[in-house]
Amino acid sequence: MSLPLENLDDHPAFSRIPPWAQQKLSPKAVETIKKVHHWMETEVIPAEPILKAQLNQEGRRWKKPQIVRELREKAKKEGLFNLFLPKTFGDLSPGLTNLEYACCAEIMGRVYWGAMTMNCHAPDTGNMELMAKYCNAAQKEQYLMPVLRGECFSAYSMTEPDVASSDATTINCRLTRDPQDSNYLLINGRKLYGNCIWEEDLGFYILMACSDPDNPNPWKRHTTVIVPKDTPGLKMVRNLTVMGYDWAPEGHGEFLYTNARIPASNIILGEGRAFEIAQGRLGPGRIHHCMRLLGQTERAYELALIRATDTRKKPRGKLIGEFDSNIERLATMRLQLDAMRLVVMNAADTMDLKGNKAGRYAIAQSKIMVPQACADIIDECMQMHGGAGVTQLYPFPEMWTYARFVRLADGPDAAHRHQVGRDELKKAPKVKEQHDAYHRRYKELCEKWGVAYESFL
Ligand SMILES: Cc1cc2nc3c(=O)[nH]c(=O)nc-3n(C[C@H](O)[C@H](O)[C@H](O)COP(=O)(O)OP(=O)(O)OC[C@H]3O[C@@H](n4cnc5c(N)ncnc54)[C@H](O)[C@@H]3O)c2cc1C
């Protein structure tokens, strides 16, 4: 049952949601969106400097800041935990559709760590979806449930420094049976990315490795396993900064596996089935970053509006917002943001209506268009703030960095464009058929009306 739309228009959480999407929101979703909005406005956005101060305290860089711990406990009690898990997951899910969650995620995204206060952050969301879908009962109990309850965190480890990881068939890290005891597996290789081992509450990595390199079918050569972070033989070589930031307390690491030994019971789904799992991971989790980027970019835009009307700043005697170039700039940013929201919501709605597989194009469309557009908008907003815009006193540098790295995380946008382009080319014969039919008809019409027929065909 949907609500009358006029009830929603006045509430700031709904003002940017287009009517077609508003009318699909259940009463429960409306309540949840309002709660998420209130949560972010009162608990998270004003607390941004507190989080930074706590992270900078002596010895606390890789520990969850106290404020995040407190907020996570509170969010759990208020029913704001794990909102990302779509309805299709039954009892594990709080019951939102992907479209409804997109409305929540945009609001959460106004601050980078907002989603973490509600256990809706990457990569745990994708990992929890994966585990809920593919783990057996014992694995769910041991690994999924603690993450869902917010007791520990998980990381995803696929990328490698020695291959082009955007083509996962090239993943090279080796997984073999332990010759001493076939109930155990040995991992050998190097990995890039995945949260730092230093992260205090990190529990395990979900790792993709090559277990059957000689299999003639390249889609059956790889296996996905769970690697507890204290596994002997797993070593973090260094913390990787991203555009100069360490992204503590989660961070990103480079890892070396030397005969790292795990129980064979940590294989997810079965040997050689990593690509089935990877396909299953191609769901809503792939556009959560895009949903959140919209919220963050809206906030950057709001700051630009404030700057444009700040009466203390009058170059050549005019407000910044009185220059035609800035009026145009603001309009363009507004239009782009609203267009991007349609793209993301369409992807979420397509998955709700037709399933994740059918949403493939819309997901790719979001992943190609949104991070780039958001980075460009944030860049303009930063520019309108002059020198102050690039300092720590404004959130633009971190916002821009986030939008920029989402062009790579979860696969580079070029790879998505490549796939979309290839799919488009497959449509060429059908399109040609359609245009040939125009032509045949044109020829008939030429004869009927006595017009000279002209063509290169
Ligand atoms: C902040 C951040 C967080 C990340 N988190 C994780 C994580 O948690 N776990 C994890 O496993 N990985 C993670 N990654 C890694 C990310 O998924 C990879 O960097 C990405 O998949 C690309 O793989 P690659 O780095 O090996 O680059 P490559 O595959 O070598 O690609 C390099 C470049 O080649 C070009 N290219 C590649 N494929 C195509 C194509 N089909 N068509 C045209 N051009 C192409 C593109 O320009 C691309 O950027 C993260 C990355 C970042 C930046």
Side-chain angles (χ1 to χ4, degrees), residues 161-176:
D162 305 317
V163 300
S165 314
S166 54
D167 175 1
T169 60
T170 64
I171 292 301
N172 201 22
C173 181
R174 291 299 313 276
L175 184 74
T176 48

Side-chain angles (χ1 to χ4, degrees), residues 123 155-161 163-167 191-195 206 242 247 252 404-419:
Y156 187 69
S157 188
M158 186 194 87
T159 303
E160 295 179 6
V163 300
S165 314
S166 54
D167 175 1
K191 289 283 180 189
L192 268 194
Y193 286 102
N195 306 31
I206 294 185
V242 173
W247 296 95
H252 307 279
R404 180 63 187 84
F405 81 56
V406 176
R407 284 189 61 199
L408 281 162
D410 254 347
D413 52 7
H416 294 288
R417 271 199 300 274
H418 179 93
Q419 189 59 52

Side-chain angles (χ1 to χ4, degrees), residues 85 129 165 230 248 351 390 420 439 442 454:
L85 209 54
E129 265 183 50
S165 314
D230 54 5
M351 282 186 274
V390 296
V420 170
H439 209 80
Y442 159 55
E454 289 183 13

